[in-house]
Amino acid sequence: KNIVIGALGRMVEKKGFFDFIDALKILKKKGFSFKAVLAGHGELYEKLKHTSKDLPELDFPGWVSDKKTFFDKIDIFCQPSHFEPFGLTVIEAMANAKPVISTDCDGPIEIINNDEKNGLLVPQKNPEKMAKAIIELIQNPEIQKNISVAARKHIKKYYSLASLQNILDININNYF
């Protein structure tokens, strides 16, 4: 089956979606078969669609309100941002047990842990490295699966409601 590669967010320059499209073009040029989804909306929506006119594999569904359904339909999540102070979509993808490839922005480098192998980090503004990371996951389903499992465990341990309540309790008790 075709692997489905997804990205999601506001379509503004700092989100790096042109790099995502360029990475997909590299995959296509190398002969990989895939489907891709770029969900969201913003000032660059039409320009991104125009830039990808030679990529019929890429779908633009617009803004998605049901993120669970979005994540259920993809196999790999890409976060190509040039600037990302937190990385909510990275956490959402990992919580849905999707392997994440993200640029090494401030937020994602705090979430993705190379020791746990819970995701892959690539340099910002580097579609070639993003394409290489996607190819690594396509060619190694076992690595893809291991990253998905580690990602879900990491989010449950550090970002679940119960985990955050525990941290808050500890801090409140230490304060008083």
Side-chain angles (χ1 to χ4, degrees):
K1 86 178 181 84
N2 277 341
I3 196 138
V4 181
I5 306 156
L8 169 73
R10 285 180 305 114
M11 295 182 176
V12 294
E13 193 66 42
K14 69 180 181 178
K15 294 295 183 176
F17 290 129
F18 290 107
D19 296 337
F20 176 67
I21 291 169
D22 288 343
L24 296 176
K25 288 179 179 182
I26 292 168
L27 290 179
K28 185 174 181 172
K29 187 176 181 181
K30 291 185 181 232
F32 286 91
S33 182
F34 64 90
K35 293 284 183 190
V37 181
L38 179 50
H41 218 284
E43 62 192 52
L44 296 178
Y45 183 82
E46 291 301 325
K47 192 171 180 182
L48 288 162
K49 280 183 79 168
H50 179 75
T51 300
S52 65
K53 66 179 184 267
D54 55 342
L55 271 177
E57 300 86 351
L58 179 57
D59 184 35
F60 286 83
W63 191 257
V64 293
S65 54
D66 183 1
K67 289 184 183 177
K68 174 83 173 109
T69 300
F70 170 82
F71 287 115
D72 285 347
K73 291 180 180 180
I74 67 169
D75 301 299
I76 297 170
F77 181 76
C78 292
Q79 173 83 7
S81 293
H82 301 161
F83 173 76
E84 196 66 51
F86 181 64
L88 181 59
T89 57
V90 168
I91 289 174
E92 291 170 333
M94 292 170 76
N96 282 281
K98 297 302 172 186
V100 173
I101 300 167
S102 176
T103 54
D104 55 0
C105 296
D106 291 342
I109 63 172
E110 296 295 324
I111 301 164
I112 296 175
N113 184 324
N114 284 331
D115 295 333
E116 292 178 12
K117 273 296 195 196
N118 64 5
L120 300 174
L121 292 169
V122 297
Q124 298 169 37
K125 300 180 183 183
N126 195 325
E128 295 83 12
K129 295 280 180 150
M130 181 161 281
K132 186 177 177 184
I134 295 168
I135 290 168
E136 179 183 351
L137 293 181
I138 291 172
Q139 293 179 332
N140 299 288
E142 191 65 28
I143 291 173
Q144 190 180 137
K145 181 182 172 200
N146 292 342
I147 288 174
S148 297
V149 169
R152 178 82 171 98
K153 284 181 183 176
H154 182 80
I155 296 308
K156 191 170 185 173
K157 183 176 180 181
Y158 295 104
Y159 296 94
S160 70
L161 185 56
S163 170
L164 295 172
Q165 282 177 314
N166 187 39
I167 292 167
L168 185 58
D169 284 343
I170 290 168
N171 286 322
I172 288 171
N173 288 332
N174 287 339
Y175 181 75
F176 294 107

